[in-house]
Coordinates of all heavy atoms in Angstrom, one line a residue:
M1 N 19.7 -4.0 0.2 CA 18.4 -3.9 -0.3 C 18.2 -4.6 -1.7 O 19.2 -4.6 -2.5 CB 18.1 -2.4 -0.6 CG 17.6 -1.6 0.6 SD 16.6 -0.2 0.1 CE 16.1 0.4 1.7
A2 N 17.1 -5.3 -1.9 CA 16.9 -6.0 -3.1 C 15.8 -5.5 -3.8 O 14.8 -5.0 -3.2 CB 16.7 -7.5 -2.7
K3 N 15.9 -5.5 -5.1 CA 14.8 -5.0 -6.0 C 13.8 -6.2 -6.1 O 14.1 -7.3 -6.5 CB 15.4 -4.7 -7.4 CG 14.5 -3.9 -8.3 CD 15.4 -3.4 -9.4 CE 14.7 -3.7 -10.7 NZ 15.6 -3.3 -11.9
V4 N 12.6 -5.9 -5.7 CA 11.5 -6.9 -5.7 C 10.4 -6.6 -6.6 O 9.9 -5.5 -6.5 CB 11.0 -7.1 -4.2 CG1 9.9 -8.1 -4.2 CG2 12.1 -7.5 -3.3
K5 N 10.0 -7.5 -7.5 CA 8.8 -7.2 -8.3 C 7.6 -7.6 -7.6 O 7.4 -8.7 -7.0 CB 8.9 -8.1 -9.6 CG 7.8 -7.8 -10.6 CD 8.1 -8.3 -12.0 CE 8.1 -9.8 -12.0 NZ 8.3 -10.3 -13.4
V6 N 6.6 -6.7 -7.5 CA 5.4 -6.9 -6.7 C 4.2 -7.1 -7.5 O 3.2 -7.7 -7.1 CB 5.2 -5.8 -5.7 CG1 6.2 -5.8 -4.6 CG2 5.1 -4.4 -6.3
A7 N 4.1 -6.5 -8.7 CA 2.9 -6.6 -9.6 C 3.2 -6.0 -11.0 O 4.3 -5.5 -11.2 CB 1.8 -5.9 -9.0
H8 N 2.2 -6.0 -11.8 CA 2.3 -5.3 -13.1 C 1.3 -4.2 -13.0 O 0.2 -4.4 -12.4 CB 2.0 -6.3 -14.2 CG 2.2 -5.7 -15.6 ND1 1.4 -4.9 -16.2 CD2 3.3 -5.9 -16.4 CE1 1.9 -4.5 -17.4 NE2 3.0 -5.1 -17.5
V9 N 1.5 -3.1 -13.7 CA 0.6 -2.0 -13.6 C -0.8 -2.4 -14.1 O -1.8 -1.8 -13.6 CB 1.1 -0.7 -14.4 CG1 2.3 -0.1 -13.7 CG2 1.4 -1.1 -15.8
N10 N -0.9 -3.3 -15.0 CA -2.2 -3.8 -15.5 C -2.9 -4.6 -14.6 O -4.1 -5.0 -14.8 CB -2.0 -4.4 -16.9 CG -1.5 -3.5 -18.0 OD1 -1.7 -2.3 -17.8 ND2 -1.0 -4.0 -19.0
D11 N -2.3 -5.0 -13.5 CA -3.0 -5.9 -12.5 C -4.0 -5.0 -11.7 O -4.8 -5.6 -10.9 CB -2.0 -6.5 -11.5 CG -1.1 -7.5 -12.2 OD1 -1.4 -8.1 -13.2 OD2 0.0 -7.8 -11.6
I12 N -3.8 -3.7 -11.7 CA -4.6 -2.9 -10.8 C -5.4 -1.9 -11.7 O -4.9 -1.2 -12.5 CB -3.7 -2.1 -9.9 CG1 -2.6 -3.0 -9.3 CG2 -4.5 -1.3 -8.8 CD1 -1.3 -2.3 -9.0
V13 N -6.7 -1.8 -11.3 CA -7.6 -0.9 -12.0 C -7.4 0.5 -11.4 O -7.1 0.6 -10.2 CB -9.1 -1.3 -11.8 CG1 -10.0 -0.3 -12.3 CG2 -9.3 -2.7 -12.4
N14 N -7.4 1.5 -12.2 CA -7.1 2.9 -11.7 C -8.2 3.2 -10.6 O -9.4 2.9 -10.8 CB -7.2 3.9 -12.8 CG -6.6 5.3 -12.3 OD1 -5.7 5.3 -11.6 ND2 -7.3 6.3 -12.8
G15 N -7.8 3.7 -9.4 CA -8.7 4.0 -8.4 C -8.9 2.9 -7.4 O -9.7 3.0 -6.5
E16 N -8.2 1.8 -7.6 CA -8.4 0.6 -6.7 C -7.1 0.1 -6.2 O -6.0 0.7 -6.5 CB -9.1 -0.5 -7.5 CG -10.5 -0.1 -7.9 CD -11.4 -1.2 -8.5 OE1 -10.9 -2.4 -8.5 OE2 -12.5 -1.0 -8.9
M17 N -7.1 -0.9 -5.3 CA -5.9 -1.4 -4.7 C -6.0 -2.9 -4.7 O -7.1 -3.5 -4.8 CB -5.7 -0.9 -3.3 CG -6.8 -1.2 -2.3 SD -6.5 -0.5 -0.7 CE -8.2 -0.7 0.0
I18 N -4.8 -3.6 -4.7 CA -4.8 -5.0 -4.6 C -3.8 -5.4 -3.4 O -3.0 -4.5 -3.0 CB -4.3 -5.7 -5.9 CG1 -2.9 -5.2 -6.3 CG2 -5.3 -5.4 -7.0 CD1 -2.3 -6.1 -7.4
Q19 N -3.8 -6.6 -3.0 CA -2.8 -7.1 -2.1 C -1.9 -8.0 -2.9 O -2.4 -8.8 -3.7 CB -3.5 -8.0 -1.0 CG -2.5 -8.5 0.0 CD -3.1 -9.4 1.0 OE1 -3.5 -10.5 0.6 NE2 -3.2 -9.0 2.2
A20 N -0.6 -7.9 -2.7 CA 0.4 -8.9 -3.3 C 1.2 -9.5 -2.1 O 1.6 -8.8 -1.2 CB 1.3 -8.1 -4.2
T21 N 1.4 -10.8 -2.2 CA 2.2 -11.5 -1.2 C 3.4 -11.9 -1.8 O 3.4 -12.7 -2.8 CB 1.4 -12.7 -0.6 OG1 0.1 -12.2 -0.1 CG2 2.2 -13.3 0.5
I22 N 4.6 -11.4 -1.3 CA 5.9 -11.7 -1.8 C 6.7 -12.2 -0.7 O 6.8 -11.4 0.3 CB 6.6 -10.5 -2.5 CG1 5.6 -9.7 -3.5 CG2 7.9 -10.9 -3.3 CD1 5.2 -10.4 -4.7
N23 N 7.3 -13.4 -0.8 CA 8.2 -13.9 0.3 C 7.5 -13.8 1.7 O 8.0 -13.3 2.7 CB 9.5 -13.1 0.3 CG 10.3 -13.3 -0.9 OD1 10.2 -14.4 -1.6 ND2 11.1 -12.4 -1.3
S24 N 6.2 -14.2 1.7 CA 5.4 -14.2 2.9 C 5.1 -12.8 3.5 O 4.6 -12.7 4.6 CB 6.0 -15.0 4.0 OG 6.4 -16.3 3.5
K25 N 5.4 -11.7 2.7 CA 5.0 -10.4 3.2 C 3.9 -9.9 2.3 O 3.9 -10.1 1.1 CB 6.2 -9.4 3.1 CG 7.2 -9.7 4.2 CD 8.3 -8.6 4.1 CE 7.9 -7.3 4.5 NZ 9.0 -6.3 4.7
N26 N 2.9 -9.2 3.0 CA 1.8 -8.6 2.2 C 2.0 -7.2 2.0 O 2.4 -6.4 2.9 CB 0.5 -8.8 3.0 CG 0.1 -10.3 3.1 OD1 0.4 -11.1 2.3 ND2 -0.7 -10.6 4.2
Y27 N 1.7 -6.8 0.7 CA 1.9 -5.4 0.3 C 0.5 -4.9 -0.2 O -0.3 -5.6 -0.8 CB 2.9 -5.3 -0.8 CG 4.3 -5.7 -0.4 CD1 4.7 -7.0 -0.7 CD2 5.2 -4.8 0.1 CE1 5.9 -7.5 -0.3 CE2 6.5 -5.3 0.5 CZ 6.8 -6.6 0.3 OH 8.1 -7.0 0.6
L28 N 0.3 -3.6 0.0 CA -0.9 -2.9 -0.6 C -0.3 -2.2 -1.8 O 0.7 -1.4 -1.7 CB -1.4 -1.9 0.4 CG -2.6 -1.0 0.0 CD1 -3.3 -0.5 1.3 CD2 -2.2 0.1 -0.8
I29 N -0.9 -2.4 -2.9 CA -0.5 -1.7 -4.2 C -1.8 -1.0 -4.7 O -2.8 -1.6 -5.0 CB 0.0 -2.7 -5.2 CG1 1.1 -3.5 -4.6 CG2 0.6 -1.9 -6.4 CD1 1.5 -4.7 -5.4
A30 N -1.7 0.3 -4.8 CA -2.8 1.1 -5.2 C -2.4 1.9 -6.5 O -1.3 2.3 -6.7 CB -3.3 2.1 -4.1
K31 N -3.4 2.1 -7.3 CA -3.3 3.0 -8.5 C -4.2 4.1 -8.4 O -5.5 3.9 -8.5 CB -3.5 2.2 -9.8 CG -3.1 3.0 -11.0 CD -3.6 2.3 -12.3 CE -2.8 1.1 -12.7 NZ -3.2 0.5 -14.0
I32 N -3.7 5.3 -8.3 CA -4.6 6.5 -8.1 C -4.1 7.5 -9.1 O -3.0 7.9 -9.0 CB -4.6 7.0 -6.7 CG1 -5.1 5.9 -5.7 CG2 -5.4 8.3 -6.5 CD1 -4.5 5.8 -4.4
D33 N -5.0 8.0 -9.9 CA -4.7 8.9 -11.0 C -3.5 8.4 -11.8 O -2.6 9.2 -12.2 CB -4.4 10.3 -10.4 CG -5.6 11.0 -9.8 OD1 -6.8 10.6 -10.3 OD2 -5.5 11.8 -8.9
N34 N -3.5 7.1 -12.0 CA -2.5 6.4 -12.7 C -1.1 6.5 -12.1 O -0.1 6.2 -12.7 CB -2.4 6.8 -14.2 CG -3.6 6.2 -14.9 OD1 -3.9 5.1 -14.8 ND2 -4.4 7.1 -15.6
N35 N -1.0 6.9 -10.8 CA 0.2 6.7 -10.0 C 0.1 5.5 -9.1 O -0.9 5.1 -8.7 CB 0.4 8.0 -9.1 CG 0.6 9.2 -9.9 OD1 1.5 9.3 -10.8 ND2 -0.2 10.3 -9.6
I36 N 1.3 4.9 -9.0 CA 1.3 3.6 -8.2 C 1.9 3.9 -6.8 O 2.9 4.6 -6.7 CB 2.2 2.6 -8.9 CG1 1.7 2.2 -10.3 CG2 2.4 1.3 -8.0 CD1 0.4 1.4 -10.3
Y37 N 1.2 3.4 -5.8 CA 1.7 3.5 -4.4 C 1.8 2.1 -3.8 O 0.9 1.3 -4.0 CB 0.7 4.3 -3.6 CG 0.5 5.7 -4.1 CD1 -0.6 6.0 -5.0 CD2 1.3 6.7 -3.7 CE1 -0.8 7.2 -5.5 CE2 1.1 8.0 -4.3 CZ 0.1 8.3 -5.2 OH -0.1 9.5 -5.6
V38 N 2.9 1.8 -3.1 CA 3.1 0.5 -2.5 C 3.4 0.8 -1.0 O 4.3 1.6 -0.7 CB 4.2 -0.3 -3.1 CG1 4.4 -1.6 -2.5 CG2 4.0 -0.5 -4.6
T39 N 2.6 0.1 -0.2 CA 2.9 0.2 1.3 C 2.8 -1.2 1.9 O 2.4 -2.1 1.2 CB 1.8 1.1 2.0 OG1 0.5 0.4 2.0 CG2 1.6 2.5 1.2
S40 N 3.1 -1.2 3.2 CA 2.8 -2.4 3.9 C 1.3 -2.6 4.0 O 0.6 -1.6 3.9 CB 3.4 -2.3 5.3 OG 3.1 -1.1 5.9
D41 N 0.8 -3.8 4.2 CA -0.6 -4.0 4.2 C -1.1 -4.4 5.6 O -2.1 -5.2 5.7 CB -1.0 -5.1 3.2 CG -2.5 -5.2 3.0 OD1 -3.2 -4.2 3.2 OD2 -3.0 -6.2 2.6
M42 N -0.5 -3.9 6.6 CA -0.9 -4.2 8.0 C -1.1 -2.9 8.7 O -0.2 -2.0 8.8 CB 0.1 -5.1 8.7 CG -0.3 -5.5 10.1 SD -1.9 -6.5 10.1 CE -1.4 -8.0 9.3
C43 N -2.3 -2.7 9.3 CA -2.5 -1.5 10.2 C -1.5 -1.5 11.3 O -1.1 -2.6 11.8 CB -3.9 -1.6 10.7 SG -4.3 -0.1 11.6
T44 N -1.1 -0.4 11.8 CA -0.2 -0.3 12.9 C -0.9 -0.3 14.3 O -0.2 -0.2 15.3 CB 0.7 1.0 12.8 OG1 -0.1 2.1 12.7 CG2 1.6 0.9 11.5
H45 N -2.2 -0.3 14.2 CA -2.9 -0.3 15.5 C -3.1 -1.8 16.0 O -2.6 -2.2 17.1 CB -4.3 0.4 15.4 CG -5.1 0.3 16.6 ND1 -6.4 -0.1 16.6 CD2 -4.8 0.6 17.8 CE1 -6.9 0.0 17.8 NE2 -5.9 0.4 18.6
E46 N -3.8 -2.6 15.2 CA -3.9 -4.0 15.5 C -3.8 -4.8 14.2 O -3.4 -4.2 13.2 CB -5.3 -4.3 16.2 CG -5.3 -3.8 17.6 CD -6.7 -4.0 18.3 OE1 -7.5 -4.7 17.7 OE2 -6.8 -3.5 19.4
D47 N -4.1 -6.1 14.2 CA -3.9 -6.9 13.0 C -5.1 -6.7 12.1 O -6.1 -7.5 12.2 CB -3.7 -8.3 13.4 CG -2.3 -8.6 14.0 OD1 -1.5 -7.6 14.0 OD2 -2.1 -9.7 14.5
A48 N -5.0 -5.8 11.1 CA -6.0 -5.7 10.1 C -5.3 -5.4 8.8 O -4.4 -4.5 8.7 CB -7.0 -4.6 10.5
E49 N -5.7 -6.1 7.7 CA -5.2 -5.8 6.4 C -5.9 -4.6 5.8 O -7.1 -4.6 5.7 CB -5.3 -7.1 5.5 CG -4.5 -8.2 6.1 CD -4.6 -9.5 5.2 OE1 -5.6 -9.5 4.4 OE2 -3.8 -10.4 5.4
L50 N -5.0 -3.6 5.5 CA -5.6 -2.4 4.9 C -6.3 -2.6 3.6 O -7.2 -1.8 3.2 CB -4.6 -1.3 4.8 CG -4.0 -0.9 6.2 CD1 -2.8 0.0 6.1 CD2 -5.0 -0.3 7.1
T51 N -5.9 -3.6 2.8 CA -6.5 -3.9 1.6 C -8.0 -4.3 1.7 O -8.7 -4.4 0.8 CB -5.8 -4.9 0.7 OG1 -5.4 -6.0 1.5 CG2 -4.5 -4.2 0.1
M52 N -8.3 -4.7 3.0 CA -9.7 -5.0 3.3 C -10.6 -3.8 3.6 O -11.8 -3.9 3.7 CB -9.8 -6.0 4.5 CG -9.1 -7.3 4.3 SD -9.8 -8.3 2.9 CE -11.3 -8.8 3.7
G53 N -9.9 -2.6 3.7 CA -10.6 -1.4 3.9 C -10.9 -0.7 2.6 O -11.2 -1.4 1.6
C54 N -11.0 0.6 2.6 CA -11.3 1.3 1.3 C -10.5 2.5 1.1 O -9.9 3.1 2.1 CB -12.8 1.7 1.3 SG -13.3 2.6 2.8
L55 N -10.4 2.9 -0.2 CA -9.6 4.1 -0.6 C -10.4 5.3 -0.6 O -11.6 5.3 -0.8 CB -9.0 3.8 -2.0 CG -7.9 2.8 -2.2 CD1 -7.6 2.7 -3.6 CD2 -6.6 3.2 -1.4
D56 N -9.8 6.4 -0.2 CA -10.4 7.7 -0.3 C -9.3 8.6 -0.9 O -8.4 9.1 -0.2 CB -10.8 8.2 1.0 CG -11.4 9.6 1.0 OD1 -11.5 10.2 -0.1 OD2 -11.8 10.1 2.0
G57 N -9.2 8.7 -2.2 CA -8.1 9.4 -2.8 C -6.8 8.7 -2.5 O -6.7 7.5 -2.7
T58 N -5.8 9.4 -2.0 CA -4.6 8.7 -1.7 C -4.5 8.3 -0.2 O -3.4 8.3 0.4 CB -3.3 9.6 -2.1 OG1 -3.5 10.9 -1.4 CG2 -3.2 9.8 -3.5
K59 N -5.7 8.1 0.4 CA -5.7 7.7 1.8 C -6.4 6.3 1.8 O -7.3 6.0 0.9 CB -6.6 8.6 2.6 CG -6.0 10.0 2.7 CD -6.9 10.9 3.6 CE -8.2 11.2 3.0 NZ -9.0 12.1 3.7
V60 N -6.0 5.5 2.7 CA -6.7 4.2 2.9 C -7.2 4.1 4.3 O -6.6 4.6 5.3 CB -5.7 3.0 2.6 CG1 -4.5 2.9 3.6 CG2 -6.5 1.7 2.6
K61 N -8.5 3.6 4.4 CA -9.1 3.5 5.7 C -9.0 2.1 6.2 O -9.4 1.1 5.5 CB -10.6 3.9 5.5 CG -11.4 3.9 6.8 CD -12.8 4.3 6.5 CE -13.6 4.3 7.8 NZ -15.0 4.6 7.6
C62 N -8.6 1.9 7.5 CA -8.5 0.6 8.1 C -9.9 0.1 8.3 O -10.8 0.8 8.7 CB -7.8 0.7 9.4 SG -7.8 -0.9 10.3
P63 N -10.1 -1.2 7.9 CA -11.5 -1.8 8.0 C -11.9 -2.1 9.5 O -13.1 -2.2 9.8 CB -11.3 -3.1 7.3 CG -9.9 -3.5 7.4 CD -9.1 -2.2 7.4
L64 N -10.9 -2.0 10.4 CA -11.3 -2.4 11.8 C -11.8 -1.3 12.7 O -12.9 -1.3 13.2 CB -10.1 -3.1 12.4 CG -10.4 -4.2 13.5 CD1 -11.4 -5.2 13.0 CD2 -9.1 -4.9 13.9
H65 N -11.0 -0.2 12.8 CA -11.4 0.9 13.7 C -11.4 2.2 12.9 O -11.5 3.3 13.6 CB -10.5 1.0 14.9 CG -10.4 -0.3 15.7 ND1 -9.2 -1.1 15.7 CD2 -11.3 -1.0 16.3 CE1 -9.5 -2.2 16.4 NE2 -10.7 -2.2 16.8
G66 N -11.1 2.2 11.6 CA -11.3 3.4 10.8 C -10.2 4.4 10.7 O -10.4 5.5 10.2
S67 N -9.0 4.1 11.2 CA -7.9 5.0 11.0 C -7.6 5.2 9.5 O -7.6 4.2 8.8 CB -6.6 4.6 11.7 OG -6.7 4.8 13.1
Y68 N -7.3 6.4 9.1 CA -6.8 6.6 7.8 C -5.3 6.7 7.7 O -4.7 7.3 8.7 CB -7.4 7.9 7.2 CG -8.8 7.8 6.7 CD1 -9.9 8.0 7.6 CD2 -9.1 7.6 5.4 CE1 -11.2 7.9 7.2 CE2 -10.4 7.5 5.0 CZ -11.5 7.7 5.9 OH -12.8 7.6 5.4
F69 N -4.7 6.2 6.6 CA -3.3 6.4 6.4 C -3.1 7.0 5.1 O -3.8 6.7 4.1 CB -2.6 5.0 6.4 CG -2.6 4.3 7.7 CD1 -3.7 3.5 8.1 CD2 -1.6 4.4 8.6 CE1 -3.8 2.8 9.3 CE2 -1.6 3.8 9.9 CZ -2.7 3.0 10.2
D70 N -2.1 7.9 5.0 CA -1.7 8.6 3.8 C -0.8 7.6 3.0 O 0.3 7.2 3.5 CB -0.9 9.9 4.1 CG -0.6 10.7 2.9 OD1 -0.3 10.1 1.8 OD2 -0.6 11.9 3.0
L71 N -1.2 7.2 1.8 CA -0.4 6.3 1.0 C 0.9 6.9 0.6 O 1.9 6.2 0.2 CB -1.1 5.8 -0.2 CG -2.4 5.0 0.1 CD1 -3.1 4.6 -1.2 CD2 -2.0 3.7 0.9
K72 N 1.1 8.2 0.5 CA 2.3 8.9 0.1 C 3.3 8.9 1.2 O 4.5 8.5 1.0 CB 2.0 10.3 -0.4 CG 1.1 10.4 -1.6 CD 0.9 11.8 -2.0 CE 0.0 11.9 -3.2 NZ -0.3 13.3 -3.6
S73 N 2.9 9.3 2.4 CA 3.9 9.4 3.5 C 3.8 8.2 4.5 O 4.7 8.0 5.2 CB 3.5 10.7 4.3 OG 2.3 10.6 4.9
G74 N 2.7 7.5 4.4 CA 2.5 6.4 5.4 C 1.9 6.9 6.7 O 1.5 6.1 7.6
K75 N 1.8 8.2 6.9 CA 1.3 8.7 8.1 C -0.1 8.3 8.6 O -1.0 8.2 7.7 CB 1.4 10.3 8.0 CG 1.2 11.0 9.3 CD 1.5 12.5 9.1 CE 1.2 13.2 10.4 NZ 0.8 14.5 10.3
A76 N -0.2 8.0 9.8 CA -1.6 7.7 10.4 C -2.2 9.1 10.6 O -1.7 10.0 11.2 CB -1.5 7.0 11.7
L77 N -3.4 9.3 10.0 CA -4.1 10.6 10.0 C -5.1 10.8 11.1 O -5.5 11.9 11.4 CB -4.7 10.8 8.6 CG -3.8 10.7 7.4 CD1 -4.5 10.7 6.1 CD2 -2.8 11.8 7.5
N78 N -5.5 9.7 11.7 CA -6.4 9.9 12.9 C -6.3 8.6 13.8 O -5.9 7.5 13.3 CB -7.8 10.1 12.4 CG -8.4 8.9 11.6 OD1 -7.9 8.6 10.5 ND2 -9.4 8.2 12.1
E79 N -6.7 8.8 15.0 CA -6.6 7.7 16.0 C -7.6 6.6 15.6 O -8.6 6.9 14.9 CB -6.8 8.2 17.4 CG -5.7 9.2 17.8 CD -5.9 9.6 19.3 OE1 -7.0 9.6 19.8 OE2 -4.9 10.1 19.8
P80 N -7.5 5.4 16.1 CA -6.6 5.0 17.2 C -5.1 4.7 16.7 O -4.2 4.7 17.5 CB -7.2 3.7 17.7 CG -8.0 3.1 16.6 CD -8.5 4.3 15.8
A81 N -4.9 4.5 15.4 CA -3.5 4.2 15.0 C -2.7 5.5 15.1 O -3.2 6.6 14.8 CB -3.5 3.7 13.5
D82 N -1.5 5.4 15.5 CA -0.6 6.6 15.5 C 0.7 6.4 15.0 O 1.5 7.4 14.8 CB -0.5 7.2 17.0 CG 0.0 6.2 18.0 OD1 0.4 5.1 17.6 OD2 -0.1 6.5 19.2
E83 N 1.1 5.2 14.6 CA 2.3 4.9 14.0 C 2.1 4.8 12.5 O 1.1 4.3 12.0 CB 2.9 3.5 14.5 CG 3.3 3.6 15.9 CD 4.5 4.5 16.2 OE1 5.4 4.5 15.4 OE2 4.5 5.2 17.2
P84 N 3.1 5.2 11.7 CA 2.9 5.2 10.2 C 3.0 3.7 9.7 O 3.7 2.9 10.3 CB 4.1 6.0 9.7 CG 5.1 6.0 10.7 CD 4.4 5.9 12.0
I85 N 2.5 3.5 8.5 CA 2.7 2.3 7.8 C 4.0 2.5 6.9 O 4.4 3.6 6.8 CB 1.5 1.9 6.9 CG1 1.1 3.0 5.9 CG2 0.4 1.4 7.7 CD1 0.1 2.6 4.9
I86 N 4.5 1.4 6.4 CA 5.8 1.5 5.6 C 5.4 1.9 4.2 O 4.4 1.3 3.6 CB 6.5 0.2 5.6 CG1 6.9 -0.2 7.0 CG2 7.8 0.3 4.7 CD1 7.4 -1.6 7.2
T87 N 6.1 2.8 3.6 CA 5.9 3.2 2.2 C 7.1 2.8 1.4 O 8.2 2.8 2.0 CB 5.6 4.7 2.0 OG1 6.7 5.4 2.5 CG2 4.3 5.1 2.7
Y88 N 6.9 2.4 0.2 CA 8.0 1.9 -0.6 C 8.2 2.8 -1.8 O 7.2 3.1 -2.5 CB 7.8 0.5 -1.0 CG 7.8 -0.5 0.1 CD1 6.6 -0.9 0.7 CD2 9.0 -1.1 0.6 CE1 6.6 -1.7 1.8 CE2 9.0 -1.9 1.7 CZ 7.8 -2.3 2.2 OH 7.8 -3.2 3.3
K89 N 9.4 3.1 -2.1 CA 9.7 3.8 -3.4 C 9.5 2.8 -4.5 O 10.0 1.7 -4.4 CB 11.2 4.3 -3.3 CG 11.5 5.3 -4.4 CD 12.8 6.0 -4.1 CE 13.1 6.9 -5.3 NZ 14.5 7.1 -5.4
T90 N 8.8 3.2 -5.6 CA 8.5 2.3 -6.7 C 9.4 2.7 -7.9 O 9.7 3.8 -8.1 CB 7.0 2.4 -7.0 OG1 6.7 3.7 -7.4 CG2 6.2 1.9 -5.9
L91 N 9.6 1.6 -8.7 CA 10.3 1.8 -9.9 C 9.5 1.0 -11.0 O 9.2 -0.2 -10.7 CB 11.7 1.2 -9.8 CG 12.5 1.2 -11.1 CD1 12.9 2.6 -11.5 CD2 13.8 0.4 -10.9
I92 N 9.1 1.6 -12.0 CA 8.3 0.9 -13.1 C 9.2 0.6 -14.3 O 9.8 1.5 -14.8 CB 7.1 1.7 -13.5 CG1 6.3 2.3 -12.4 CG2 6.2 0.9 -14.5 CD1 5.5 1.4 -11.6
E93 N 9.3 -0.7 -14.6 CA 10.1 -1.0 -15.8 C 9.3 -2.0 -16.7 O 8.9 -3.0 -16.2 CB 11.4 -1.8 -15.4 CG 12.5 -0.9 -14.8 CD 13.7 -1.6 -14.4 OE1 13.8 -2.9 -14.5 OE2 14.6 -1.0 -13.9
K94 N 9.0 -1.5 -17.9 CA 8.2 -2.3 -18.8 C 6.8 -2.7 -18.2 O 6.4 -3.8 -18.4 CB 9.0 -3.5 -19.4 CG 10.2 -3.1 -20.2 CD 10.9 -4.3 -20.8 CE 12.1 -3.8 -21.6 NZ 13.0 -4.8 -21.9
G95 N 6.3 -1.9 -17.4 CA 5.0 -2.1 -16.8 C 5.1 -2.9 -15.5 O 4.1 -3.0 -14.8
H96 N 6.3 -3.4 -15.2 CA 6.4 -4.2 -13.9 C 6.8 -3.2 -12.8 O 7.6 -2.3 -12.9 CB 7.5 -5.2 -14.0 CG 7.2 -6.3 -15.0 ND1 6.3 -7.3 -14.8 CD2 7.7 -6.5 -16.3 CE1 6.2 -8.0 -15.9 NE2 7.0 -7.6 -16.8
I97 N 6.1 -3.4 -11.6 CA 6.3 -2.6 -10.5 C 7.3 -3.2 -9.6 O 7.1 -4.3 -9.1 CB 5.0 -2.4 -9.7 CG1 3.9 -1.8 -10.6 CG2 5.2 -1.4 -8.5 CD1 2.5 -2.0 -10.0
F98 N 8.4 -2.5 -9.3 CA 9.5 -3.0 -8.4 C 9.5 -2.0 -7.2 O 9.3 -0.9 -7.2 CB 10.8 -2.9 -9.1 CG 11.0 -3.9 -10.2 CD1 10.6 -3.5 -11.5 CD2 11.5 -5.2 -10.0 CE1 10.7 -4.4 -12.6 CE2 11.6 -6.1 -11.1 CZ 11.2 -5.7 -12.4
I99 N 9.9 -2.6 -6.1 CA 10.2 -1.8 -4.8 C 11.6 -2.2 -4.3 O 12.1 -3.3 -4.7 CB 9.2 -2.1 -3.7 CG1 9.1 -3.5 -3.3 CG2 7.9 -1.5 -4.1 CD1 8.3 -3.8 -2.0
D100 N 12.2 -1.4 -3.5 CA 13.4 -1.8 -2.8 C 13.1 -2.3 -1.5 O 12.4 -1.7 -0.7 CB 14.3 -0.6 -2.6 CG 15.3 -0.4 -3.8 OD1 15.7 -1.3 -4.4 OD2 15.6 0.8 -4.0
E101 N 13.4 -3.5 -1.2 CA 13.0 -4.2 0.0 C 14.2 -4.7 0.8 O 15.2 -5.1 0.2 CB 12.1 -5.3 -0.3 CG 11.6 -6.1 0.9 CD 10.9 -5.3 2.0 OE1 11.6 -4.6 2.7 OE2 9.6 -5.4 2.1
Ligands
FES1 S1 -6.8 -2.1 13.5 FE1 -6.6 -0.4 12.2 S2 -7.4 1.2 13.3 FE2 -7.5 -0.5 14.7

């Protein structure tokens, strides 16, 4: 596992999410109640970037067919998606957000 820097906490407005592309992989990075969540940015149903959807608390809604995913557990909360997205443990150092990848 390698420690990968994905963003700085100041890159994200509280209550919003951004997409970061690192080594050709897309990540969803959200700041909710000043907590940082990092997940994969691809729906597990079909090819849709979740950062094109919308946040509802610590859930993200897929823009294509409306499945919600829990950003904490990655769990798909309603059909049609039934597989979880990947969630990453985060480490914040001097404002920089790192994940183990
Ligand atoms: S592509 Fe996300 S729910 Fe269908």
Side-chain angles (χ1 to χ4, degrees):
M1 279 206 173
K3 193 166 132 185
V4 176
K5 183 162 72 174
V6 290
H8 190 279
V9 291
N10 292 341
D11 293 338
I12 313 148
V13 175
N14 193 38
E16 296 189 3
M17 61 183 165
I18 62 168
Q19 182 188 67
T21 305
I22 315 286
N23 297 330
S24 307
K25 285 184 72 172
N26 291 335
Y27 299 92
L28 177 160
I29 308 169
K31 189 193 285 184
I32 298 143
D33 294 332
N34 288 309
N35 294 310
I36 299 291
Y37 301 92
V38 181
T39 71
S40 49
D41 189 26
M42 184 59 71
C43 184
T44 55
H45 177 230
E46 288 179 9
D47 287 351
E49 293 180 346
L50 296 172
T51 47
M52 299 298 285
C54 52
L55 288 174
D56 177 1
T58 54
K59 297 180 292 186
V60 62
K61 183 181 180 186
C62 176
L64 210 49
H65 307 111
S67 284
Y68 281 86
F69 294 89
D70 185 325
L71 294 177
K72 295 180 182 178
S73 66
K75 191 173 177 207
L77 300 173
N78 61 296
E79 293 185 340
D82 54 10
E83 294 293 320
I85 55 174
I86 300 167
T87 58
Y88 296 93
K89 194 170 174 203
T90 58
L91 175 69
I92 315 284
E93 283 180 1
K94 296 184 178 165
H96 297 286
I97 305 164
F98 294 89
I99 58 169
D100 270 330
E101 176 60 284

